């Protein structure tokens, strides 16, 4: 009987140790998955908006496009950055925060996610305007983005879905 009790506790302790190791591995991989998903979702939304802005700009006054986009839970979107010092840098971007990113990029747990460059040089010919409720930063969630070209102004309107 004594031998049976010792074997039971030995098997139980090995099982608990295995469960702890498995839990730590799964939670780490889940954090990586969530961080990757947030970055990719932000990138897809930014690229969708950038291509819509290009389409509207290239089609001229009166054109408009609607797109459904998702801003991730840990994302702060949409910002527009014009010229960088050396290059023509017309891009939209989001800032993504995540606990996993915190462990990678300490002390700044954020990553900037940029859209593809806008084809048209906006600053010389057009003004890019984010109408309410598109004020930055936008809250996470689904938005139906409407982009209009009003002769010199590209207006982006974002009622949430």
């Amino acid at each position: 009987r004594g031998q049976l009790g010792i074997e039971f506790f030995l098997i139980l302790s090995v099982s608990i140790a295995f469960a702890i190791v498995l839990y730590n591995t799964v939670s780490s991989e889940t954090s990586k998955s969530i961080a990757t998903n947030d970055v990719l979702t932000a990138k897809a939304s930014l690229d969708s908006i950038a291509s819509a802005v290009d389409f509207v700009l290239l089609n001229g006054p009166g054109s408009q496009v609607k797109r459904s986009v998702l801003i991730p839970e840990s994302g702060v979107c949409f910002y527009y950055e014009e010229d960088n010092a050396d290059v023509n840098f017309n891009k939209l971007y989001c800032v993504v925060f995540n606990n996993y990113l915190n462990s990678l990029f300490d002390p700044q747990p954020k990553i900037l996610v940029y859209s593809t460059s806008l084809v048209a040089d906006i600053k010389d010919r057009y003004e890019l305007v984010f109408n309410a409720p598109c004020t930055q930063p936008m809250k996470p969630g689904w938005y139906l983005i409407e982009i209009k070209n009003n002769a010199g102004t590209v207006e982006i309107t974002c009622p949430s879905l």
Side-chain angles (χ1 to χ4, degrees):
R1 283 189 164 183
Q3 175 105 10
L4 185 62
I6 292 172
E7 288 173 356
F8 173 75
F9 285 117
L10 182 62
I11 291 173
L12 181 65
S13 63
V14 167
S15 298
I16 289 173
F18 179 72
I20 290 171
V21 169
L22 184 64
Y23 175 78
N24 289 335
T25 303
V26 167
S27 65
S28 170
E29 292 302 316
T30 302
S31 295
K32 290 176 190 176
S33 252
I34 290 171
T36 303
N37 188 38
D38 287 346
V39 169
L40 291 176
T41 301
K43 176 71 173 155
S45 296
L46 288 169
D47 285 346
S48 176
I49 301 254
S51 68
V53 167
D54 284 341
F55 180 81
V56 165
L57 282 171
L58 296 173
N59 278 311
S63 59
Q64 70 179 29
V65 172
K66 291 182 182 180
R67 297 279 166 94
S68 295
V69 297
L70 173 64
I71 297 176
E73 282 294 321
S74 62
V76 179
C77 298
F78 294 104
Y79 295 105
Y80 174 66
E81 186 169 315
E82 290 181 358
D83 278 335
N84 204 349
D86 350 333
V87 261
N88 193 9
F89 192 76
N90 296 321
K91 293 184 178 186
L92 298 170
Y93 70 95
C94 289
V95 181
V96 177
F97 299 91
N98 187 286
N99 289 336
Y100 176 69
L101 295 175
N102 188 15
S103 65
L104 290 179
F105 299 108
D106 194 44
Q108 293 185 335
K110 65 182 179 182
I111 186 167
L112 297 177
V113 180
Y114 290 96
S115 70
T116 55
S117 290
L118 300 174
V119 172
D121 188 9
I122 289 180
K123 70 179 172 107
D124 291 339
R125 293 176 281 161
Y126 293 94
E127 179 183 1
L128 189 62
V129 176
F130 287 88
N131 292 333
C134 283
T135 53
Q136 292 87 11
M138 292 178 62
K139 295 180 182 177
W142 282 97
Y143 290 87
L144 179 63
I145 307 288
E146 187 173 311
I147 301 158
K148 294 180 184 176
N149 186 338
N150 288 332
T153 303
V154 176
E155 297 178 355
I156 300 178
T157 309
C158 330
S160 67
L161 295 176

